[in-house]
Structures are given as structure tokens and as C-alpha cells.
């Protein structure tokens, strides 16, 4: 802590840190930026004649409650498809790789509520940020596989964060059938039973949810 300033050196009126970013507060979502980014990033799908089928929205807990959304990761557009598939009122704040937080792009990502994570190590700061979001009844998005893969191993961070934030885990499977993307929400699961057991169960559920559901009736 710095030494107290002399009264004559204090600015008039005193300068204060913006109320929108108090120390220890979770990252905030700018709803307008969030909606614009989600819409813009889904645009390439529709321009290519692709569309989304969403199943299991009834499994998504109502807004105003903490939730960890865990999905399989196949393409760079996965976060935006999952965000668009969620019912209104949920703002999905993704834990995104720190390499994306460049001067301009990073500002947009932060305005959408997402935050950086160092994927090469145990990023304690990112975990604490995720837990603060949950404690504020927010929605944290994580890809347990870490990288875009259909066969990648699972990381235990989802179970750890959900346990610390006392939030259920909502498994989400993404699959593609030609021009049709299928997003399937599974039943929420608790983080009880130990990190290893929860992680294994989540992996099993994601594998099932990511299987193609067949042609639309």
C-alpha cells in the first residue's frame, strides 16, 4: 500500500476508480456488445446455407442462478453457437485462451464478458474469476477438452470450478450433419463426488450428446 498523499496534493474533486470495475468483481457483460458479437459470429453459418437445430432447452436452469456450461469443442464458432442456442436471459461468459486478447479484439471479447486463461498452466486467476461469476449468479462457459477436438482428453477444471462456485454443470453436445448443426443440452449434473469422478461422468455425457441425432422429422 502506498503512503497517504499530502492534503495539498489531492485532486479536486478526488478521483475514484470506476464503479463498473471494483477490485475483485467478476467481469461484466455489455448486453449490446454481447448480442452483436454472437449475431456477427453466427452470420457465416447462415451465409453458407447452414442452420441450427437446438434440443433440450428445457434442461437449462432459469436465469439468475449460477451455471457452468460445458461443451465439446470442434470449431472456432462453437462458443457463439452455444451462446445463441441458450434461452434468453443467459449471458455466457467463456474462459477463452489468452492469445485471443489482442488490443482491439481483446477489448471486444472482454465487453462480451469473457476472460482469458493460460492453457499451458494452472491458471489460478482464471479459476477465481470463473468462481466470482458464479457467485454473482452468472453463466461460465468452458470447453473441458481445452482444444478443438472430437477425441481430446478431459480436464478437471470444470468440476473444480463448479464445486467452488456451487453451481450445476450443463453438458452440451455439438454435432454436424451436412448443413445442419445440432446443439443438444443435457440434464444438469452436480459437481459432487470428486473431481475425477465428475470429469469422467461429464466426458461420458458429452460423448453421448455429441452423437448425430439423425435427420429431422
Amino acid at each position: 500500500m502506498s503512503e497517504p498523499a499530502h492534503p495539498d496534493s489531492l485532486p479536486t474533486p478526488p478521483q475514484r476508480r470506476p464503479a463498473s470495475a471494483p477490485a475483485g468483481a467478476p467481469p461484466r457483460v455489455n448486453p449490446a456488445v454481447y448480442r452483436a458479437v454472437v449475431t456477427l459470429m453466427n452470420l457465416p453459418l447462415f451465409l453458407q446455407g447452414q442452420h441450427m437445430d437446438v434440443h433440450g432447452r428445457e434442461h437449462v436452469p432459469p436465469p439468475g442462478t449460477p451455471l457452468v456450461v460445458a461443451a465439446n469443442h470442434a470449431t472456432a464458432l462453437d462458443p457463439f453457437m452455444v451462446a445463441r442456442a441458450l434461452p434468453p436471459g443467459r449471458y455466457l461468459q467463456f474462459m477463452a485462451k489468452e492469445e485471443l486478447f489482442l488490443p482491439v479484439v481483446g477489448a471486444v471479447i472482454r465487453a462480451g464478458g469473457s476472460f482469458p486463461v493460460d492453457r499451458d498452466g494452472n491458471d489460478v486467476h482464471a479459476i477465481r474469476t470463473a468462481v466470482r461469476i458464479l457467485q454473482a449468479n452468472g453463466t461460465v462457459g468452458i470447453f473441458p477438452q481445452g482444444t478443438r477436438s472430437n477425441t481430446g482428453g478431459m480436464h478437471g477444471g470444470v468440476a473444480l470450478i463448479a464445486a467452488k462456485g456451487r453451481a450445476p454443470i450443463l453438458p452440451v453436445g455439438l454435432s454436424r450433419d451436412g448443413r445442419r448443426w445440432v446443439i443438444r443440452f443435457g440434464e444438469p449434473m452436480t459437481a459432487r463426488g470428486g473431481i475425477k469422478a465428475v470429469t469422467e461422468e461429464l466426458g461420458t455425457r458429452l460423448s453421448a450428446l455429441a452423437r448425430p441425432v439423425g435427420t429431422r422429422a
Side-chain angles (χ1 to χ4, degrees):
M1 180 180 295
S2 60
E3 296 181 357
H6 190 277
D8 292 338
S9 65
L10 292 175
T12 304
Q15 299 295 314
R16 296 185 178 184
R17 183 174 297 188
S20 60
R28 294 191 177 187
V29 177
N30 182 317
V33 173
Y34 180 92
R35 288 190 292 267
V37 170
V38 171
T39 300
L40 180 63
M41 295 306 295
N42 276 280
L43 189 59
L45 301 178
F46 300 103
L47 292 178
Q48 295 173 18
Q50 302 175 26
H51 61 279
M52 288 171 45
D53 281 351
V54 182
H55 302 260
R57 275 201 181 107
E58 67 275 11
H59 296 313
V60 183
T65 59
L67 182 65
V68 175
V69 175
N72 65 302
H73 197 13
T75 76
L77 295 179
D78 293 344
F80 310 102
M81 287 193 285
V82 175
R84 186 174 183 273
L86 282 171
R90 283 274 181 194
Y91 293 104
L92 188 57
Q93 296 181 250
F94 258 100
M95 184 182 285
K97 61 181 181 180
E98 62 181 359
E99 292 85 354
L100 295 175
F101 288 79
L102 301 173
V104 177
V105 176
V108 176
I109 295 175
R110 290 183 188 278
S114 293
F115 55 100
V117 60
D118 180 1
R119 298 184 302 174
D120 296 328
N122 185 15
D123 194 335
V124 176
H125 179 72
I127 293 174
R128 289 175 177 170
T129 299
V131 172
R132 286 199 296 267
I133 292 173
L134 296 175
Q135 291 173 340
N137 293 322
T139 308
V140 174
I142 307 175
F143 292 115
Q145 295 170 332
T147 58
R148 295 194 294 274
S149 169
N150 289 322
T151 60
M154 298 283 291
H155 298 290
V158 174
L160 175 64
I161 290 169
K164 287 182 173 293
R166 298 184 179 182
I169 301 170
L170 181 71
V172 186
L174 295 96
S175 61
R176 183 177 179 179
D177 179 16
R179 294 187 176 184
R180 181 170 67 112
W181 285 94
V182 179
I183 292 86
R184 300 177 68 190
F185 294 107
E187 294 184 6
M189 54 183 288
T190 67
R192 301 191 190 99
I195 292 176
K196 182 178 180 180
V198 172
T199 302
E200 290 178 352
E201 174 64 18
L202 177 60
T204 299
R205 294 200 188 190
L206 288 181
S207 295
L209 290 168
R211 295 193 190 107
V213 297
T215 58
R216 179 165 45 182

